[in-house]
Amino acid sequence: MLTPEARSRAREQDALDEAIDAWCARLADVRRLSDNTVRGYRHDLASFSGWARREGVAPLSITHRELRRYLTELSRAGYAATTVSRRLSALRGLYRWMLREGRCPSAAVAAVSSPKLSQTLPHTMSDEEASRLLSTCSGPEPVDLRDRAFLELLYASGARISEAAGLRLGDVDFAQRQVTLFGKGSKERIVPLYDRALESLRAYVDHGRGALLRPGHTTDALFVSTRGNPMSADALRTRFERHVAEAGLEPGLTPHAMRHTFATELLSGGADLRSVQELLGHESLSTTQVYTHLSVDRLREAARRAHPRASSHGSA
């Protein structure tokens, strides 16, 4: 027989699970977030719900100490700092919404809102690493043409992997030398492409894509599999990871590193922060500002290497 305390925890757990379902539905229906994004939120929140159930934590009465314990366990389990930060962000969004809807007390929201995580700079790729990655698909086969076009597109546009998966043939405008990307919430943005990326995309569209399509099978998806089907974000991510391995690069390198590199290169080249924000499709400028640290570090290193007095120790 359950104790009154256990019954109360069970009721809170059920209320949390119902709130997760309702909040995710709102993200999809009201905020118009993509299926992949909503699925990510649901996965992160379900992870917390499962932990609370296992640990006997009353989720609607959670304390700061209990939440810190959850975050600490994630870190000890080997989750990257970015993953821990993302899960905390999802929890904050959920709990604030629950407070507005009268589903939880303000004390719980305060507990979830208070933890501070150390900010880690995003991983970027060097020019040499990018060249090694691209060299793994320099052959003439249709799959090589496709993968090269895919990697060049990421490097040239800063596209998210989900945005690349959603591209259609008509989204690449060769005449205007640009690509139209559809980001979070189906927000549209146009990004100019450099010559090499356009050449790779043209080679794939003209000589590779048709060979991958099955006879009689039609699709307007830009990137297609060897069976002629549109490639999902997971399928493109798998191809990326394979080329990372072939290039002998760090196994943890992700497609998002290309996006980080794109942003850092723009800022290092003199682009203003607002322009980079627009090209990345960030809603908040603060999200873009993290790259200023990276670009300053790069500029400092470039100056150290190039300045004629940087390596001297002074002379009369």
Coordinates of all heavy atoms in Angstrom, one line a residue, residues 96-174:
R96 N 8.2 27.1 -17.0 CA 7.6 28.4 -17.1 C 6.2 28.4 -17.7 O 5.3 29.1 -17.3 CB 8.5 29.3 -18.0 CG 9.8 29.7 -17.3 CD 10.8 30.4 -18.3 NE 12.1 30.6 -17.7 CZ 13.2 30.7 -18.3 NH1 13.2 30.4 -19.7 NH2 14.4 30.9 -17.7
W97 N 6.1 27.5 -18.7 CA 4.7 27.3 -19.3 C 3.8 26.7 -18.3 O 2.6 27.2 -18.2 CB 4.8 26.4 -20.5 CG 3.5 26.1 -21.1 CD1 2.8 26.9 -21.9 CD2 2.8 24.9 -20.9 NE1 1.6 26.2 -22.3 CE2 1.6 25.0 -21.7 CE3 3.0 23.7 -20.2 CZ2 0.6 24.0 -21.7 CZ3 2.1 22.7 -20.3 CH2 0.9 22.8 -21.0
M98 N 4.2 25.7 -17.5 CA 3.4 25.1 -16.5 C 2.9 26.2 -15.4 O 1.8 26.1 -15.0 CB 4.1 24.0 -15.8 CG 4.2 22.7 -16.7 SD 4.6 21.2 -15.7 CE 6.2 21.6 -15.1
L99 N 3.8 27.1 -15.1 CA 3.4 28.1 -14.1 C 2.4 29.0 -14.7 O 1.4 29.3 -14.0 CB 4.7 28.9 -13.8 CG 4.4 30.1 -12.8 CD1 3.9 29.6 -11.4 CD2 5.7 31.0 -12.6
R100 N 2.5 29.4 -16.0 CA 1.5 30.3 -16.6 C 0.1 29.6 -16.7 O -0.9 30.2 -16.6 CB 2.0 30.7 -18.0 CG 3.1 31.6 -18.0 CD 3.3 32.3 -19.4 NE 3.5 31.3 -20.4 CZ 4.7 30.9 -20.8 NH1 5.8 31.4 -20.2 NH2 4.9 30.1 -21.8
E101 N 0.2 28.2 -16.9 CA -1.0 27.4 -17.0 C -1.6 27.0 -15.7 O -2.6 26.3 -15.6 CB -0.8 26.2 -17.9 CG -0.4 26.5 -19.3 CD -1.6 27.1 -20.1 OE1 -2.6 26.4 -20.1 OE2 -1.4 28.1 -20.7
G102 N -0.9 27.4 -14.6 CA -1.4 27.0 -13.2 C -1.1 25.5 -12.9 O -1.8 24.9 -12.1
R103 N -0.2 24.9 -13.6 CA 0.1 23.5 -13.4 C 1.2 23.2 -12.3 O 1.4 22.0 -12.0 CB 0.5 22.8 -14.7 CG -0.6 22.8 -15.8 CD 0.0 22.3 -17.1 NE -1.0 22.2 -18.2 CZ -1.5 21.1 -18.6 NH1 -1.1 19.9 -18.1 NH2 -2.4 21.1 -19.6
C104 N 1.9 24.2 -11.9 CA 3.0 24.0 -10.9 C 3.2 25.3 -10.2 O 2.9 26.4 -10.7 CB 4.3 23.5 -11.5 SG 5.2 24.8 -12.4
P105 N 3.7 25.2 -8.9 CA 4.0 26.4 -8.1 C 5.2 27.2 -8.6 O 6.1 26.6 -9.3 CB 4.2 25.9 -6.7 CG 4.7 24.5 -6.9 CD 4.0 24.0 -8.2
S106 N 5.3 28.4 -8.2 CA 6.5 29.2 -8.6 C 7.8 28.7 -8.0 O 8.9 28.9 -8.6 CB 6.2 30.7 -8.2 OG 6.0 30.8 -6.8
A107 N 7.7 28.1 -6.9 CA 8.9 27.6 -6.2 C 9.7 26.6 -7.1 O 10.9 26.5 -7.2 CB 8.6 26.9 -4.9
A108 N 8.9 25.7 -7.8 CA 9.5 24.8 -8.7 C 10.2 25.5 -9.9 O 11.2 25.1 -10.3 CB 8.4 23.8 -9.2
V109 N 9.5 26.5 -10.4 CA 10.1 27.2 -11.5 C 11.4 27.9 -11.1 O 12.4 27.9 -11.8 CB 9.1 28.3 -12.1 CG1 9.7 29.1 -13.2 CG2 7.8 27.6 -12.5
A110 N 11.4 28.5 -9.9 CA 12.6 29.1 -9.4 C 13.7 28.1 -9.2 O 14.9 28.4 -9.5 CB 12.3 29.7 -8.0
A111 N 13.4 26.9 -8.8 CA 14.4 25.8 -8.6 C 15.0 25.5 -10.0 O 16.3 25.3 -10.1 CB 13.8 24.6 -8.0
V112 N 14.2 25.4 -11.0 CA 14.7 25.0 -12.3 C 15.4 26.2 -13.0 O 16.3 25.9 -13.8 CB 13.5 24.5 -13.2 CG1 13.9 24.3 -14.7 CG2 12.9 23.3 -12.7
S113 N 15.0 27.4 -12.7 CA 15.6 28.5 -13.4 C 17.0 28.9 -12.8 O 17.8 29.6 -13.5 CB 14.7 29.7 -13.3 OG 13.5 29.5 -14.0
S114 N 17.3 28.5 -11.6 CA 18.5 29.0 -10.9 C 19.8 28.4 -11.3 O 20.8 29.1 -11.3 CB 18.3 28.9 -9.4 OG 18.0 27.6 -9.0
P115 N 19.9 27.1 -11.7 CA 21.3 26.6 -11.9 C 22.0 27.3 -13.1 O 21.4 27.6 -14.1 CB 21.0 25.1 -12.3 CG 19.7 24.8 -11.7 CD 18.9 26.1 -11.8
K116 N 23.3 27.6 -12.9 CA 24.1 28.2 -13.9 C 25.1 27.1 -14.4 O 25.8 26.5 -13.6 CB 24.9 29.4 -13.4 CG 24.0 30.5 -12.8 CD 23.1 31.1 -13.9 CE 22.3 32.3 -13.3 NZ 21.4 32.9 -14.3
L117 N 25.2 27.0 -15.7 CA 26.2 26.1 -16.3 C 27.3 26.8 -16.9 O 27.0 27.9 -17.6 CB 25.5 25.2 -17.3 CG 24.4 24.3 -16.8 CD1 23.8 23.5 -18.0 CD2 24.9 23.3 -15.8
S118 N 28.5 26.4 -16.8 CA 29.6 27.0 -17.4 C 29.5 27.0 -19.0 O 29.1 25.9 -19.5 CB 30.9 26.4 -17.0 OG 30.9 25.0 -17.4
Q119 N 29.7 28.1 -19.6 CA 29.5 28.2 -21.0 C 30.7 27.6 -21.7 O 31.9 28.0 -21.5 CB 29.3 29.6 -21.5 CG 29.0 29.7 -23.0 CD 28.8 31.2 -23.4 OE1 29.6 32.0 -23.0 NE2 27.7 31.4 -24.1
T120 N 30.5 26.6 -22.6 CA 31.6 26.1 -23.4 C 31.5 26.6 -24.8 O 30.4 26.7 -25.4 CB 31.6 24.5 -23.4 OG1 30.3 24.1 -23.9 CG2 31.7 24.0 -22.0
L121 N 32.7 26.9 -25.4 CA 32.7 27.4 -26.7 C 32.4 26.3 -27.7 O 32.9 25.2 -27.5 CB 34.0 28.1 -27.0 CG 34.3 29.3 -26.2 CD1 35.7 29.9 -26.6 CD2 33.3 30.4 -26.3
P122 N 31.7 26.5 -28.8 CA 31.4 25.5 -29.8 C 32.7 25.1 -30.5 O 33.6 25.9 -30.7 CB 30.4 26.2 -30.7 CG 30.6 27.6 -30.5 CD 31.0 27.8 -29.1
H123 N 32.7 23.8 -30.9 CA 33.9 23.3 -31.6 C 33.8 23.7 -33.0 O 32.8 23.6 -33.7 CB 33.9 21.7 -31.5 CG 35.1 21.1 -32.1 ND1 36.3 21.1 -31.5 CD2 35.2 20.5 -33.3 CE1 37.2 20.5 -32.3 NE2 36.5 20.1 -33.4
T124 N 34.9 24.1 -33.5 CA 35.0 24.5 -34.9 C 36.1 23.7 -35.6 O 36.9 23.0 -35.0 CB 35.4 26.0 -35.1 OG1 36.7 26.3 -34.5 CG2 34.3 26.9 -34.5
M125 N 36.1 23.8 -36.9 CA 37.1 23.0 -37.7 C 38.1 24.0 -38.3 O 37.8 25.1 -38.7 CB 36.4 22.3 -38.9 CG 35.4 21.3 -38.4 SD 34.5 20.5 -39.8 CE 35.8 19.6 -40.6
S126 N 39.3 23.5 -38.4 CA 40.4 24.3 -39.1 C 40.2 24.2 -40.6 O 39.5 23.3 -41.1 CB 41.8 23.9 -38.6 OG 42.0 22.6 -39.1
D127 N 40.9 25.0 -41.4 CA 40.9 24.9 -42.8 C 41.4 23.5 -43.2 O 40.9 22.9 -44.2 CB 41.7 26.0 -43.5 CG 41.1 27.4 -43.3 OD1 39.8 27.4 -43.0 OD2 41.8 28.4 -43.4
E128 N 42.5 23.1 -42.5 CA 43.1 21.8 -42.9 C 42.1 20.6 -42.6 O 42.0 19.7 -43.4 CB 44.4 21.6 -42.1 CG 45.2 20.5 -42.5 CD 44.9 19.2 -41.7 OE1 44.4 19.3 -40.6 OE2 45.3 18.1 -42.3
E129 N 41.4 20.7 -41.5 CA 40.4 19.7 -41.2 C 39.3 19.6 -42.2 O 38.9 18.6 -42.6 CB 39.9 19.9 -39.8 CG 40.8 19.6 -38.7 CD 40.2 19.9 -37.3 OE1 39.5 20.9 -37.2 OE2 40.5 19.2 -36.3
A130 N 38.8 20.8 -42.6 CA 37.7 20.9 -43.6 C 38.2 20.3 -44.9 O 37.5 19.6 -45.6 CB 37.3 22.3 -43.8
S131 N 39.4 20.6 -45.3 CA 40.0 20.1 -46.6 C 40.1 18.6 -46.5 O 39.8 17.9 -47.5 CB 41.3 20.7 -46.8 OG 41.2 22.1 -47.0
R132 N 40.5 18.1 -45.4 CA 40.7 16.6 -45.2 C 39.3 15.9 -45.3 O 39.1 14.9 -45.9 CB 41.3 16.3 -43.9 CG 42.8 16.4 -43.9 CD 43.4 16.4 -42.5 NE 43.1 15.1 -41.8 CZ 43.4 14.9 -40.5 NH1 43.9 15.9 -39.8 NH2 43.1 13.7 -40.0
L133 N 38.3 16.6 -44.7 CA 37.0 16.0 -44.8 C 36.4 16.0 -46.2 O 35.9 15.0 -46.7 CB 36.0 16.8 -43.9 CG 34.6 16.3 -43.7 CD1 34.5 15.0 -43.0 CD2 33.8 17.3 -42.9
L134 N 36.6 17.1 -46.9 CA 36.1 17.2 -48.3 C 36.8 16.2 -49.2 O 36.2 15.7 -50.2 CB 36.1 18.6 -48.7 CG 35.2 19.6 -48.1 CD1 35.6 21.0 -48.3 CD2 33.8 19.3 -48.5
S135 N 38.1 16.0 -48.9 CA 38.9 15.1 -49.8 C 38.4 13.7 -49.8 O 38.8 12.9 -50.7 CB 40.4 15.2 -49.4 OG 40.6 14.6 -48.2
T136 N 37.6 13.3 -48.8 CA 37.2 11.9 -48.7 C 36.1 11.6 -49.7 O 35.7 10.4 -49.8 CB 36.7 11.6 -47.3 OG1 35.6 12.4 -47.0 CG2 37.8 11.8 -46.2
C137 N 35.6 12.6 -50.4 CA 34.5 12.3 -51.4 C 34.8 13.1 -52.6 O 33.9 13.8 -53.2 CB 33.1 12.6 -50.8 SG 33.0 14.2 -50.0
S138 N 36.0 12.9 -53.1 CA 36.4 13.7 -54.3 C 36.3 12.8 -55.6 O 36.7 13.3 -56.7 CB 37.9 14.1 -54.2 OG 38.8 13.0 -53.9
G139 N 35.8 11.6 -55.5 CA 35.7 10.7 -56.7 C 34.5 11.1 -57.6 O 33.7 12.0 -57.3
P140 N 34.4 10.4 -58.7 CA 33.4 10.7 -59.7 C 32.1 9.9 -59.6 O 31.1 10.2 -60.3 CB 34.1 10.3 -61.0 CG 34.9 9.1 -60.6 CD 35.4 9.3 -59.2
E141 N 32.0 9.0 -58.6 CA 30.8 8.2 -58.4 C 29.6 9.1 -57.9 O 29.9 10.1 -57.2 CB 31.0 7.1 -57.5 CG 32.1 6.1 -57.9 CD 31.7 5.4 -59.2 OE1 30.5 5.1 -59.4 OE2 32.6 5.3 -60.1
P142 N 28.4 8.7 -58.2 CA 27.2 9.5 -57.8 C 27.2 9.8 -56.3 O 26.9 10.9 -55.9 CB 26.0 8.7 -58.2 CG 26.5 7.9 -59.4 CD 28.0 7.6 -59.1
V143 N 27.6 8.8 -55.5 CA 27.6 9.0 -54.1 C 28.6 10.0 -53.7 O 28.4 10.8 -52.7 CB 27.8 7.6 -53.3 CG1 28.1 7.8 -51.9 CG2 26.6 6.7 -53.5
D144 N 29.8 9.9 -54.3 CA 30.8 10.9 -54.0 C 30.4 12.3 -54.4 O 30.6 13.3 -53.6 CB 32.1 10.6 -54.9 CG 32.8 9.3 -54.5 OD1 32.8 9.0 -53.3 OD2 33.2 8.6 -55.3
L145 N 29.7 12.5 -55.5 CA 29.2 13.8 -55.9 C 28.2 14.3 -54.9 O 28.1 15.5 -54.6 CB 28.6 13.7 -57.3 CG 29.6 13.3 -58.5 CD1 28.8 13.2 -59.8 CD2 30.7 14.4 -58.6
R146 N 27.3 13.4 -54.5 CA 26.3 13.8 -53.5 C 26.9 14.2 -52.2 O 26.6 15.3 -51.7 CB 25.3 12.6 -53.3 CG 24.2 13.0 -52.3 CD 23.6 11.7 -51.7 NE 24.5 10.9 -51.0 CZ 24.4 9.6 -50.7 NH1 23.3 8.9 -51.1 NH2 25.3 9.0 -49.9
D147 N 27.8 13.4 -51.7 CA 28.4 13.7 -50.4 C 29.2 15.0 -50.4 O 29.2 15.7 -49.5 CB 29.2 12.5 -49.9 CG 28.3 11.3 -49.5 OD1 27.1 11.4 -49.6 OD2 28.8 10.3 -49.0
R148 N 29.9 15.2 -51.5 CA 30.7 16.4 -51.6 C 29.8 17.6 -51.7 O 30.1 18.6 -51.0 CB 31.6 16.3 -52.9 CG 32.4 17.6 -53.2 CD 33.8 17.4 -53.1 NE 34.6 18.6 -53.1 CZ 35.8 18.7 -52.8 NH1 36.5 17.6 -52.4 NH2 36.5 19.8 -52.8
A149 N 28.7 17.5 -52.4 CA 27.8 18.6 -52.5 C 27.2 18.9 -51.1 O 27.0 20.1 -50.7 CB 26.7 18.3 -53.5
F150 N 26.9 17.9 -50.4 CA 26.3 18.0 -49.0 C 27.3 18.7 -48.1 O 26.9 19.6 -47.4 CB 25.9 16.6 -48.5 CG 25.7 16.5 -47.1 CD1 24.8 17.3 -46.4 CD2 26.5 15.6 -46.3 CE1 24.6 17.2 -45.0 CE2 26.3 15.4 -45.0 CZ 25.4 16.2 -44.3
L151 N 28.5 18.2 -48.1 CA 29.5 18.8 -47.2 C 29.9 20.2 -47.6 O 30.0 21.1 -46.7 CB 30.8 17.9 -47.2 CG 30.7 16.5 -46.6 CD1 32.0 15.8 -46.7 CD2 30.2 16.6 -45.1
E152 N 30.0 20.5 -48.8 CA 30.3 21.9 -49.3 C 29.1 22.8 -48.9 O 29.4 24.0 -48.5 CB 30.5 21.9 -50.8 CG 31.8 21.3 -51.3 CD 33.0 22.3 -51.1 OE1 32.9 23.3 -50.5 OE2 34.1 22.0 -51.7
L153 N 27.9 22.3 -49.0 CA 26.8 23.1 -48.6 C 26.8 23.5 -47.2 O 26.6 24.6 -46.8 CB 25.5 22.4 -49.0 CG 24.2 23.1 -48.5 CD1 23.9 24.2 -49.4 CD2 23.0 22.1 -48.4
L154 N 27.1 22.5 -46.3 CA 27.2 22.8 -44.9 C 28.3 23.9 -44.6 O 28.0 24.8 -43.8 CB 27.5 21.5 -44.1 CG 26.5 20.4 -44.0 CD1 27.0 19.3 -43.1 CD2 25.1 20.9 -43.6
Y155 N 29.4 23.7 -45.2 CA 30.5 24.6 -45.0 C 30.2 26.0 -45.6 O 30.7 27.0 -45.0 CB 31.8 24.0 -45.7 CG 33.1 24.5 -45.2 CD1 33.2 25.1 -43.9 CD2 34.2 24.5 -46.0 CE1 34.4 25.5 -43.4 CE2 35.4 25.0 -45.6 CZ 35.5 25.5 -44.3 OH 36.8 26.0 -43.8
A156 N 29.5 26.1 -46.7 CA 29.2 27.3 -47.3 C 28.1 28.1 -46.8 O 28.0 29.3 -46.9 CB 29.0 27.1 -48.8
S157 N 27.1 27.4 -46.1 CA 25.9 28.1 -45.7 C 25.6 28.1 -44.2 O 24.8 28.8 -43.8 CB 24.7 27.4 -46.4 OG 24.5 26.1 -45.9
G158 N 26.3 27.2 -43.5 CA 26.0 27.1 -42.0 C 24.7 26.5 -41.8 O 24.1 26.7 -40.7
A159 N 24.2 25.7 -42.7 CA 22.9 25.0 -42.6 C 22.9 24.0 -41.5 O 23.9 23.3 -41.3 CB 22.5 24.4 -43.9
R160 N 21.8 23.9 -40.7 CA 21.6 22.8 -39.8 C 21.4 21.5 -40.6 O 20.9 21.6 -41.7 CB 20.4 23.1 -38.9 CG 20.5 24.3 -38.1 CD 19.2 24.5 -37.3 NE 19.2 25.7 -36.4 CZ 18.8 26.9 -36.8 NH1 18.3 27.1 -38.0 NH2 18.8 27.9 -35.9
I161 N 21.7 20.4 -40.0 CA 21.5 19.1 -40.7 C 20.1 18.9 -41.1 O 19.8 18.4 -42.2 CB 22.0 17.9 -39.8 CG1 22.2 16.7 -40.6 CG2 21.2 17.7 -38.6 CD1 23.3 16.6 -41.6
S162 N 19.1 19.3 -40.2 CA 17.7 19.2 -40.6 C 17.3 20.1 -41.7 O 16.4 19.7 -42.5 CB 16.8 19.5 -39.3 OG 17.1 20.8 -38.9
E163 N 18.0 21.2 -41.8 CA 17.7 22.1 -43.0 C 18.2 21.6 -44.3 O 17.5 21.7 -45.3 CB 18.3 23.5 -42.7 CG 17.7 24.2 -41.5 CD 18.5 25.5 -41.1 OE1 19.6 25.6 -41.5 OE2 17.9 26.3 -40.3
A164 N 19.4 20.9 -44.2 CA 19.9 20.3 -45.4 C 19.0 19.1 -45.9 O 18.8 18.9 -47.1 CB 21.3 19.8 -45.2
A165 N 18.5 18.4 -44.9 CA 17.6 17.2 -45.2 C 16.3 17.7 -45.9 O 15.7 17.0 -46.7 CB 17.3 16.4 -44.0
G166 N 15.9 18.9 -45.5 CA 14.6 19.4 -46.0 C 14.7 20.2 -47.4 O 13.7 20.6 -47.9
L167 N 15.9 20.3 -47.9 CA 16.1 21.0 -49.1 C 15.4 20.3 -50.3 O 15.5 19.1 -50.5 CB 17.5 21.2 -49.4 CG 18.3 22.3 -48.6 CD1 19.7 22.3 -48.9 CD2 17.7 23.7 -48.9
R168 N 14.8 21.1 -51.2 CA 14.3 20.7 -52.5 C 15.1 21.2 -53.6 O 15.9 22.2 -53.4 CB 12.8 21.1 -52.6 CG 11.9 20.5 -51.6 CD 11.8 19.0 -51.7 NE 11.0 18.4 -50.7 CZ 11.4 17.7 -49.7 NH1 12.8 17.6 -49.5 NH2 10.6 17.2 -48.8
L169 N 15.0 20.6 -54.8 CA 15.8 21.1 -55.9 C 15.7 22.6 -56.2 O 16.7 23.3 -56.4 CB 15.4 20.3 -57.2 CG 16.0 18.9 -57.4 CD1 15.3 18.2 -58.6 CD2 17.5 19.0 -57.6
G170 N 14.5 23.1 -56.1 CA 14.2 24.5 -56.4 C 14.8 25.4 -55.3 O 14.8 26.6 -55.5
D171 N 15.3 24.9 -54.2 CA 15.8 25.8 -53.1 C 17.2 26.3 -53.4 O 17.6 27.3 -52.8 CB 15.8 25.0 -51.8 CG 14.4 24.7 -51.3 OD1 13.5 25.5 -51.6 OD2 14.2 23.7 -50.6
V172 N 17.9 25.6 -54.4 CA 19.2 26.1 -54.8 C 19.0 26.9 -56.1 O 18.6 26.4 -57.1 CB 20.1 24.9 -55.0 CG1 21.5 25.5 -55.5 CG2 20.3 24.1 -53.8
D173 N 19.3 28.2 -56.0 CA 19.2 29.1 -57.1 C 20.6 29.3 -57.7 O 21.4 30.2 -57.2 CB 18.6 30.4 -56.7 CG 18.2 31.3 -57.9 OD1 18.9 31.2 -58.9 OD2 17.3 32.1 -57.7
F174 N 20.9 28.6 -58.8 CA 22.2 28.7 -59.4 C 22.4 30.1 -60.0 O 23.5 30.6 -60.0 CB 22.5 27.6 -60.4 CG 22.6 26.2 -59.7 CD1 21.5 25.4 -59.7 CD2 23.8 25.8 -59.2 CE1 21.7 24.1 -59.1 CE2 23.9 24.6 -58.6 CZ 22.9 23.7 -58.5

